[in-house]
Amino acid sequence: MMESRIKRLATTLMDATTDKDPLVQEQIYNALCYLGESEPEEILHSCDEYLRQHDKLAYPHRVIILKAMETVVKNNIASLDKSTAKVVIFLASNEMTKSKEVIREWQQAASSVLVAVGQRFINKVMEEVLTKFQPGILPHYFIVQTFANLSVSNVFGMVPFLNSILGTMLPMLGMAKQDHMKSVFCYALQHFSESIQEYLANLDKAPDPTVRKDTFSNEIFSAYEVLFNSWLQHREAKLRLAVVEAVGPMSYLMPSEKLEEQLPKLIPGILALYKKHAEAFYISKSLCQILESSVNIGSRSLDVQLDALLGTLHPQICAPADPSVPLTVKNHTEVLRCFTVLACSFPDRVLAFLLPKLESSNERTRVGTLLIMRQIINSAPSQMEIKKPFILSSMKLPLQDSNDKVKRAVVQVISAMAHHGYLEQPGGEAMMEYLVRQCALPSEAQPKKQTPDADDLTSDSVQSISVNTLFLLSTTVDRMNNVLWPYLLEFVTPIQFTNALTPLCKSLMYLAMKKQEEGENASLIRYDLNGNLPSPYALTTRLLVVSSQPYAGDCRGTAALRLLSVLQYSVHPALEQLWSKRVPSLVEHIEENTEKCLCQKEWEEKLLLFLQETLAAVSDNTWICHFVTEMCRQLNSYNGFPLEKNFLYKCIGTTLGACTSKDLVQKQLQELLETARYHEEAEREGLASCFGICAINHLEETLAKLEDFVRSDVFKKSVGLFSIFKDRSDNEVEKIKSTLILCYGFVAVHAPKELVLSRIEADILKNIFQYFNTKVLGIKVETKDLTLKLCLIRSICMISQAIYNGGKCGDFVFSRKAELVAQMVEFIKAEPLDAMRTPVRQRAMVTCTYLVVLEPHLSDPDRTELIDTCLASVLALPPDPGQERDGIGGDAPHKEILYGDTLSALKDLLKSLLQRNLTPHGLQDMFAHLGPWIKSNKEQERQRAVEVSAALLDFYLGKLNVSTVIPFYNLGVLIALFSPRCSDSLASVRQHAVDCVYCLLYIQLCYEGFARDHTDEMVEGLKALKKGLEEPDFTVLFHTCHNIAMVVGKRVPPDQLMSLLLAMFEGLADPDKNCSRAATVMINSLLKERGSVLQEKVPDIMSIIHSKLQEVDEEHVRKAAQQTVYILASQHKSVVVSSLLGSALPFDSHTCAMWRSLAAEPTLTSQILEQLLEKVNRDVPYKESKCFLLGSGSERIATPLPLAATCALYEIMSAPESGAAVLGLYAPLFVTLLLRVSCTVGVQLPKSLQSRERRSSSLSPAPRSLHPCSCAVETLKVMLARGGSEAVTRAVGSAGGWDLMASPERHHDGIAVLAGAMARHAGPRLPLIVKNLVPTLSSVFDSQRITTTAFFAELLNSNVVNDLMLLETVMDNMTGRQKDPCMLVRMLALRGLGNISSGSPEKVRKHGAKLLASMVNGMDDKDDPHNLVALEAMSSLSKLLDHLEERDIQSMLLHIAIRIRPFFDSEQPGLRQSSIVLFGNLTKFSEDDCEAFFEQILNGLVTLLLHLQDPKPEVVKACKFALRMCGPNMGCEGLCDMFLNHLREDRSLHYGEFMNNVCKHLMQSYPEMLNRLILTNLFYFKSNWVDIRAAAPMFIGFLVLHVDEDHCQQVDLDQLISALNLLLKDPVPAVRMKVAETLGRLVRIL
């Protein structure tokens, strides 16, 4: 019986192989394999029988069964019964040869079965297959292929048969006429040859060790003759390649004499194929095998073939390999192997062939030849040993090649040579120099994009390959150590190798460390043996200078310093201790920073300090003299490297400073002055730095040398020489003078102050001015040269700093100060005002900043001229000083920086001047100069002037130190100067103006006697106002100005107020219109006395105000009008309200402004709000209007008066001043507006207003909607905000509540959001609101009952109703709504009762019975077609369960469980979710009635597990919860743990794995449930949800997998198999896959 069932299962699966879906086919194959694991014999027999019986089954379906058979055989080969093997062999043999045509997929599958069986039953397989391999009859294609594959998979089993197979096969070769048969014979011969070779190579393990090569030689040779002489000539390319692939391995087995005899034909025959085939890999592979065979037999014929071989193979390497085509790369490898074979046998001839090719004009030829050279050097080292000098000399030409690809190949050859000792030979140094030159190539930031036919072996640049090669040779090839050390040091100092410094230094450091490890520390550099090496001075200078730009050239600073450290002993023995400590910290500094963040000045100072310490440590004057001489010698090398050269000058200055020989110092200084390139700015700077640093220790010599130079012949000669070339002369001479002037400046700054001060006026300034002023015929002529000017300014600046920093500046009277300031003023005046082209202004002002602080004081006229000149020079520049008139903007960023620096210099200068007179008078004097600029009608002038003013006031405040309380007499005037600017048309002016007012008020507080650190909240408030000044929005600007005026008004002292007002009135004439308006902000409100007698005229007055507002749109007019309206209303409320309500809807902006003015005073506002509320409530909210177009339907039209009153409420309450009044009327306002919203949902505007609203919306950009509901919602929002409940408004808004409220379908959800927010943020307001709302529960309007019920229902969700003792009231009102005619009201009432569980859980127990009854009634609601009330009842009951008395629930438990069970599979996701959650919650109460409820759990278990695959995430979540709750009641700990661990909400579920484990536990704990569980699953085979349909058969499959044999008989297998069979026809592939999988598993219960 069992057998027939297995067979039935297998048959069912095999029937299903006709499925079109590849994934289902795959699953059927897997299921058959699974069955085969349990019962391999039975399944193989079933497959055999099935295929025999279904003779007509199409071959694609047969393939699936054959593949399954192959897998079963492979996996069970060891235990396979001989008889079964026979059956399988016979079947596979028949399947394979049934069709005479070749049907590859089918016959291949059958062949694979035979190969699989042949692993163990080779004799049986051969016995069967040989019957179809008869002499004289051409066999089936796959018979031959099967032989070939068997020979590979079972070498030892197959080789003994090969002799007879070859014997039978040879005559067949001549019968094969079709190409595919010829190809398969070639395939077989290739694999037979490879198998025989493997057999012979492993004779020690072989079953028959007597087998010899000559056993097969003759047959193989006979086959070879057919293949080579006949088939190789065929025109079909595939066949030719098959022949070639076979001939290679066959050549190993051919008799030696025959092979020797054939070679003269064979090799040319193979070589000829290169021309016929683009894909050469198979040819090259075969050729290599033939060559190896030839060499093995010691062939003499190769000699003759050599030229042809080399001539054909060489182009193969020259054609580039394409990495994206793997076979081209493999072909290269094979061809290179051929060269290896040839080079080992014919080294002389191969080299004689290759080396001349290096001179070819074709780049590919050169590159290819070099590749072959590298291969030969690496793979034939013994043969090449004596050829080394020859090979090295032949490389001379490639070393001069400029082609990048050739260079790359040369570098690779050099690498190979290094490994094999070539570079130790004479000529090796040239190779190393070449490598270093390539390292010195400029590195490409980005390697160039490869062209599609890229010949490159790699895309790396020559430079990067060379760098890597050099490093590898230094670190990994030990034999290279003596070649490279110390030879590489020769490349450190020449400037042309600068780019190679980083790799050079790294390699040298590594080599030196290796030498030190070998104990060669003292004699690290042997100058006696290496005459060409750079001296220690040269090395130290070079490495120190390149370290000054530490990140250049791939971070050469680090490498240079590390090398320097390693060479310390060779540089000077005394440096060991110092350098061991200092160099690592310098390296660390480079590594801690980046190129962007490194401070260059600080870094150079560190290096110079290091140099100073080095010189101190050596303290040997002779050594230092050599060192400085070498430094000067290297100067010219750095002509193209200005930064490095500049640093070298500083090093020279430092070293000269340490030199004790005065003569040498003077000699070197003279030399520097004579050889400097004066026309380069960096050089002038460097030379001046050098003189300055030298002057620290040699002031006298330095000054003397500067004076001597001017008097010297050299200087005069150059001046004389230049004067011949008049154009050049002026320029060059000026540059020399500029440099000398600059030198004096640097000397003044660096030299010891006690020595230099006495020399400043007598020597330094005298000489400077002598160079600066040229005399022509005794008249002083000022230079036009910019460089000379700038150097003079800088020099004077440095001299001023030197005096200032001298510490004695109080004592030192600088008699030439006024003259120097006047000179600077002249320079500034000479600068053009239309653009800023040079830094003269900025440098001159910086210089003045230092000069003005020196004694003596400037005279008043000089001071005035200085200030006015500087202000005019900077403030009057055109708007964008970065852009010149000619429109060339390439320099714009530089100009922008220059402008910024110039403005900063101006501020610093003015601060410096103000510092000398830090009093109100000094301040007034400064603003006397700035005032006209602040009021200028040019924007850029105002902007700069106010920015400078803000900086000055801030400085004044910061420096102020008031010792006695004195009046700040000019506060009013200054505030009036700046406060109107707070509304300037320029944002930056507005911001700075506020800063000015802020500083002025604090200065006033200081003068009043407050401490400097005193903080005044009101003045601090000004800072917050700046935000409002960013945007040019007039309302914001003037509101901010008003606030500023309030602050100023409260803080200006009484005696200043009048002067402030007078000055303010002057501000009305300000050229900037905004500022004149801003002045009016200071004006107080209009008179309030005369309105009381005008009652009758109020409507007329109101209309006049309205028309005036329309005519004039000025801010102060609007304010005045609003004030008037307010005054009128305080005297005639009703008339004003009626008059305004009569205005046309929608209210225009002027009417709105008038309404808002009524919010000014709380008492009045409250009375007006009450009037408006009465008007909203008095009239009906809408009228029903018959809609003719829609037949009997009607629409609701809003009544006008409540609509107008609602709009008026909005306007009044939108004014902030209405807050107090709104608070007083909070509850009535809230309830009225809430019900207004309720009654206007879906209500339309009257027709007359609809068209008017459309018109107004087209006129104004974004008017407020007049739509009744939107209008009511907006008014409610503004009421809440004004009533202090902004939090409510925000909370409702962020939850989308306002939009929901206006939606007819979701209105109640919006109300719930509002109620929740009220409970959270406005609890104390609720008692009055509830009291006002209760009566509306009996309203005639459904909408109002829904609104109130929704509001109360949500209130019950919060504990606030309990705290406010509202719970009973609200709850009773909810239970009273259970019979309401409106279904939505009934549903919301149940929701409210459910909400008590979260709002007041402690009260649930008290009212338990009442609440439970309500829920059960809700579930049984008869008038509930869509189960909405039932759904709400279930959700609410789930929430209440935790808090109810157990006895209350126990009585109803089973009733509820049975009542909700049908909802588990409801089409509505909400019902599924709620019923499942409720079921989960019910399990908590099952203890007393455990048996009965356990039964309910079992009834629901399959459903819950399957619904874990529910399409709705919320249902899946509910199932997880319910299963976690059911777990503890199921009496199976493992299952309980699984539910708790795997079904956590936050955890994703691997469903298949989970179900597998669940079924394991189910079958261990409840094996008797198997049939019941299977039957429940069968019900879901018809489910509408695909995932559940797929999950049900999988569930059954896992149950079957884990059940014990004892319990299998429960299952009605026939019914199950039939059901699965039916489901196997499901339209969805995923379902069919699961069915196939389960069918495989049923083998467990058969």
Side-chain angles (χ1 to χ4, degrees), residues 1003-1037:
I1003 293 169
Q1004 166 63 27
L1005 288 168
C1006 287
Y1007 280 125
E1008 283 178 13
F1010 285 98
R1012 272 278 305 285
D1013 55 359
H1014 167 70
T1015 304
D1016 184 297
E1017 278 187 29
M1018 189 160 269
V1019 179
E1020 286 302 321
L1022 291 174
K1023 288 284 187 196
L1025 298 176
K1026 285 175 74 174
K1027 183 82 183 144
L1029 296 172
E1030 287 174 7
E1031 292 300 323
D1033 178 339
F1034 294 132
T1035 51
V1036 179
L1037 286 187

Side-chain angles (χ1 to χ4, degrees), residues 762-774:
D763 296 336
I764 295 177
L765 278 173
K766 184 181 73 137
N767 288 330
I768 284 179
F769 275 102
Q770 190 182 328
Y771 305 150
F772 184 70
N773 296 318
T774 318

Side-chain angles (χ1 to χ4, degrees), residues 41 53 404 478 1033 1079 1191 1204-1205 1457:
E41 310 276 347
Q53 287 174 354
D404 272 0
D478 289 340
D1033 178 339

